[in-house]
Amino acid sequence: MNISSNGSSEMMISLKGWEALFSEAKLIQATFVSLGIGALVVVLNLIIGLLAGKALAFYSFKGKAVVDALFLLPLIVPLLAITMGLHVAMIRIGLTDTWLGVVLIHLVPTIPYSIKMLRSGYASMGTGILQQAQVLGTTRWHRFWSVELPLLMPSIRSTVFLIFVISLSQYVITAIIGGGNVVTLAMIYFPFLDSAESTVLAAFSAWFALLPVLFYLSMELLLSLLPYQNPWRTRL
């Protein structure tokens, strides 16, 4: 908004911020790298979260409280301390400066949330409906596909969105493990906070916020392909 010489204010629409944003040479590459890393982190979180969440919700075993506390440890111990410790281990096995190392380090701040959310989903479901399906002679995979997955869908949707946003916003641990070779959108965005003009920063923020929405819509499109979500199935 500008103030004119006669004291009136006027609104001016400018594409200057977007032009400066798209002049950034690594923007598109960093966007695709962030989407790829975020998608892998989400998939790994769903696999680990479903297995651990079901075990913690349904089964009683010796040391369960200790295992439960270990899963939540990244929320208690400073993330930077864990990252520096894992950095040494990753140097020894050659995972530093690689996208795989960045994916693995992004699991540290995200795994506790996926386990907690999917554990709550299993706890809300209860064991009765799974026992009923087992009595009817279904296999373990059939029970997961036809009973567990549909009932867990609200928890899975929340987990996907939250985990992707957390992964997308990681700057420090990506810089430490990626070593500058793995450039994500956060590594381009955060340096702009101190130096860029407000219009460029606003355009960058809009671009940054658009990715989780696009990823969520893509996941919804994939989930709509599941057989039990097909509206034609109920009409047959």
Side-chain angles (χ1 to χ4, degrees), residues 50-168:
L50 287 169
L51 293 173
K54 185 176 183 179
L56 292 172
F58 289 166
Y59 302 110
S60 297
F61 51 89
K62 191 175 182 180
K64 180 178 178 180
V66 176
V67 173
D68 198 5
L70 288 175
F71 280 136
L72 298 179
L73 201 59
L75 299 180
I76 303 171
V77 179
L79 179 58
L80 195 56
I82 299 175
T83 303
M84 295 307 294
L86 291 176
H87 188 214
V88 176
M90 287 189 176
I91 290 175
R92 292 175 179 171
I93 59 178
L95 283 178
T96 51
D97 302 345
T98 66
W99 61 268
L100 181 57
V102 174
V103 168
L104 293 178
I105 199 64
H106 281 198
L107 293 179
V108 175
T110 54
I111 282 293
Y113 294 104
S114 61
I115 291 177
K116 288 289 288 183
M117 296 173 77
L118 293 172
R119 178 185 182 179
S120 298
Y122 272 111
S124 300
M125 179 194 309
T127 58
I129 190 169
L130 295 179
Q131 291 171 351
Q132 187 176 9
Q134 186 176 6
V135 169
L136 293 174
T138 58
T139 62
R140 181 172 297 181
W141 170 250
H142 195 193
R143 287 198 297 276
F144 171 76
W145 187 255
S146 301
V147 180
E148 295 179 31
L149 201 56
L151 293 177
L152 286 173
M153 203 52 68
S155 299
I156 289 176
R157 284 191 173 96
S158 302
T159 303
V160 166
F161 189 74
L162 178 64
I163 298 306
F164 185 80
V165 170
I166 294 176
S167 173
L168 184 66

Side-chain angles (χ1 to χ4, degrees), residues 4-55:
S4 62
S5 57
N6 58 5
S8 61
S9 61
E10 56 183 10
M11 185 75 73
M12 295 182 62
I13 299 176
S14 172
L15 297 178
K16 180 182 176 182
W18 289 100
E19 291 173 354
L21 174 64
F22 285 105
S23 66
E24 173 59 47
K26 294 184 177 180
L27 176 69
I28 302 301
Q29 180 187 355
T31 300
F32 281 109
V33 170
S34 297
L35 285 171
I37 290 176
L40 283 173
V41 172
V42 166
V43 170
L44 291 175
N45 266 274
L46 288 177
I47 294 173
I48 298 172
L50 287 169
L51 293 173
K54 185 176 183 179

